Amino acid sequence: MGEVWTLAEFRHGELSSVSYELLNRGKNLSQKLDTALASVILGYDIKKEDIDELIARGADKVYVVDDKNLENFLVESYANVLIALLDEYKPDIFIAAATTTGRTLMPYVAVRKKTGLTADCTVLDIEEGTGNLLQTRPAIGGNILATIKTPNTRPQMATVRPHSMKPAIPDKNRNGEVIYKKYDESLFKTKSKYLRFIKDESQQVTVQDAKVIVAGGKGVGKEENFAIIDELAELLGGAVGASRDVVDRGWKTYPHQIGLSGKTVSPALYIAAGISGAVQHIAGMQTSENIIAINKDPDAQIFHLANLGIVGDLNEVLPLLIERIKEYKAKEASANV
Ligand SMILES: Cc1cc2nc3c(=O)[nH]c(=O)nc-3n(C[C@H](O)[C@H](O)[C@H](O)COP(=O)(O)OP(=O)(O)OC[C@H]3O[C@@H](n4cnc5c(N)ncnc54)[C@H](O)[C@@H]3O)c2cc1C
């Protein structure tokens, strides 16, 4: 049985925490298959602490390709290196996050390896008897969950949504093997040229990075009323989320949308105001640590998921909440003088 591989994302000198979420997923698979779990890390100037962290978070092996040519993400060079590694070590399963990098790189590699790839999986498991990877993802507009297999070719490849699983917890006592690989200059050849990196500055805190999200639904009523959601999010140092109905109405832009066809988030606190809790919305926020729901309908679906539910009009509840937070902050500030 070949190994289970996860792609560790390293960019601009930093290892993304999504790499640890993948290790959590991979651990379940490698344990069922009784095989090694490995992470592959490509980049330039990769720090030893990052490699150690991957081992602490569950990797039995780490394949490292550290080369100046991999300083910036260029799909052809990255794919060439991955294909060389896959050809040499022949893992059974290779998973990556459904981030911009994963979504760009994995199809490129799958096509060249002539193997299957299931994008945006929400569940990964092993089929008893065959050891095949069961790749489950929403299909037909989110109305069904389809389980897809790649029985005839290897590796079996899948991308999984970021924030759909908690990161693996580190154990500094773990040991692992580190395999450094060097490749000839010709392998990095690409027709693309890196020009520069432009960061999306449209939101101060993006919903995927935020520890607190205040999300508004159709119950907010109109675009202008979102000022109250924006104010609460700002007070809490969080980001503003929205349901699809809100985005479809143009009250907020798509980067704010949370759910099946939007972003998947996992903040410490998710405040849902005027959101009914449709299954497609819940798909994007159900892993939030704490959920507070404000809805005037006591039977709203969102209350089944919420840790704290407030039945009431958001136009009355939110101003009160904002007032109390401001009072608390003012008290804290005067205590610190
Ligand atoms: C393929 C597909 C993909 C989808 N993807 C997504 C997705 O990514 N994200 C997403 O969100 N949806 C998605 N949807 C849409 C989803 O099915 C729901 O239609 C949507 O989530 C409903 O948004 P809402 O909760 O804002 O509106 P509604 O369902 O209309 O709920 C509004 C809620 O506000 C409450 N309310 C009204 N006034 C007030 C008030 N003054 N104070 C307090 N509460 C009030 C009401 O009681 C109600 O519960 C998708 C649907 C499909 C078919």
Side-chain angles (χ1 to χ4, degrees):
M1 182 59 67
E3 295 169 352
V4 173
W5 281 17
T6 67
L7 182 71
E9 278 195 29
F10 184 80
R11 196 183 266 201
H12 303 139
E14 277 188 28
L15 183 61
S16 160
S17 65
V18 82
S19 316
Y20 312 140
E21 293 171 29
L22 288 174
L23 282 169
N24 216 0
R25 288 217 180 247
K27 189 158 59 185
N28 175 38
L29 306 176
S30 66
Q31 280 173 352
K32 284 194 175 168
L33 291 171
D34 196 18
T35 186
L37 173 63
S39 270
V40 186
I41 181 164
L42 314 183
Y44 178 54
D45 214 5
I46 298 167
K47 296 184 282 293
K48 186 177 174 301
E49 306 97 86
D50 287 333
I51 297 169
D52 290 345
E53 191 67 22
L54 290 169
I55 293 171
R57 303 244 187 192
D60 303 309
K61 292 183 182 178
V62 182
Y63 295 91
V64 185
V65 185
D66 190 333
D67 195 293
K68 179 82 177 134
N69 290 296
L70 298 173
E71 185 171 15
N72 298 304
F73 176 65
L74 288 171
V75 68
E76 257 181 302
S77 322
Y78 269 62
N80 290 347
V81 173
L82 280 180
I83 289 164
L85 286 166
L86 294 172
D87 286 346
E88 184 175 353
Y89 294 99
K90 300 187 175 25
D92 238 44
I93 294 173
F94 184 27
I95 57 174
T99 53
T100 316
T101 304
R103 283 174 196 234
T104 311
L105 186 56
M106 294 294 267
Y108 207 97
V109 172
V111 166
R112 288 186 48 198
K113 286 295 295 171
K114 294 192 168 58
T115 189
L117 165 74
T118 307
D120 243 1
C121 293
T122 48
V123 179
L124 293 177
D125 205 352
I126 299 294
E127 186 177 52
E128 262 182 55
T130 65
N132 281 327
L133 179 66
L134 299 174
Q135 306 151 53
T136 303
R137 57 152 296 150
I140 319 192
N143 292 316
I144 62 157
L145 285 174
T147 298
I148 296 156
K149 292 191 270 186
T150 312
N152 301 323
T153 53
R154 292 292 181 268
Q156 302 160 92
M157 292 178 62
T159 60
V160 289
R161 280 191 161 206
H163 303 290
S164 60
M165 187 136 207
K166 299 261 179 246
I169 293 166
D171 170 3
K172 298 285 176 198
N173 297 321
R174 288 193 86 255
N175 291 316
E177 186 186 346
V178 184
I179 300 117
Y180 287 95
K181 297 292 295 180
K182 277 270 160 234
Y183 289 104
D184 191 80
E185 197 70 13
S186 60
L187 197 78
F188 302 102
K189 265 210 183 124
T190 168
K191 290 183 218 78
S192 329
K193 190 175 164 203
Y194 179 85
L195 296 179
R196 68 196 159 111
F197 180 78
I198 304 170
K199 202 166 186 259
D200 178 7
E201 309 277 8
S202 60
Q203 277 197 83
Q204 282 188 327
V205 193
T206 65
V207 284
Q208 284 188 293
D209 297 328
K211 297 253 180 304
V212 176
I213 295 174
V214 185
K218 202 171 87 190
V220 171
K222 52 183 175 184
E223 188 177 356
E224 300 84 277
N225 292 359
F226 251 90
I228 201 167
I229 304 277
D230 296 344
E231 187 181 356
L232 181 58
E234 203 187 320
L235 259 182
L236 296 172
V240 175
S243 71
R244 177 158 150 181
D245 270 49
V246 164
V247 173
D248 287 349
R249 282 177 164 72
W251 300 347
K252 283 283 164 196
T253 53
Y254 178 69
H256 295 271
Q257 185 180 318
I258 288 161
L260 191 63
S261 47
K263 300 278 186 326
T264 306
V265 297
S266 191
L269 175 63
Y270 189 90
I271 302 180
I275 292 179
S276 60
V279 59
Q280 295 90 352
H281 185 81
I282 283 175
M285 45 67 75
Q286 60 195 348
T287 53
S288 304
E289 279 170 44
N290 296 288
I291 299 166
I292 300 177
I294 303 153
N295 197 303
K296 64 179 185 186
D297 174 7
D299 296 322
Q301 277 296 321
I302 192 82
F303 288 134
H304 294 293
L305 192 68
N307 304 88
L308 176 68
I310 303 170
V311 179
D313 187 330
L314 64 91
N315 298 304
E316 290 167 16
V317 177
L318 291 182
L320 285 174
L321 190 59
I322 288 170
E323 201 183 300
R324 292 298 295 272
I325 295 170
K326 281 185 177 165
E327 273 171 27
Y328 176 80
K329 285 198 166 192
K331 252 192 219 158
E332 257 208 335
S334 60
N336 289 335
V337 174

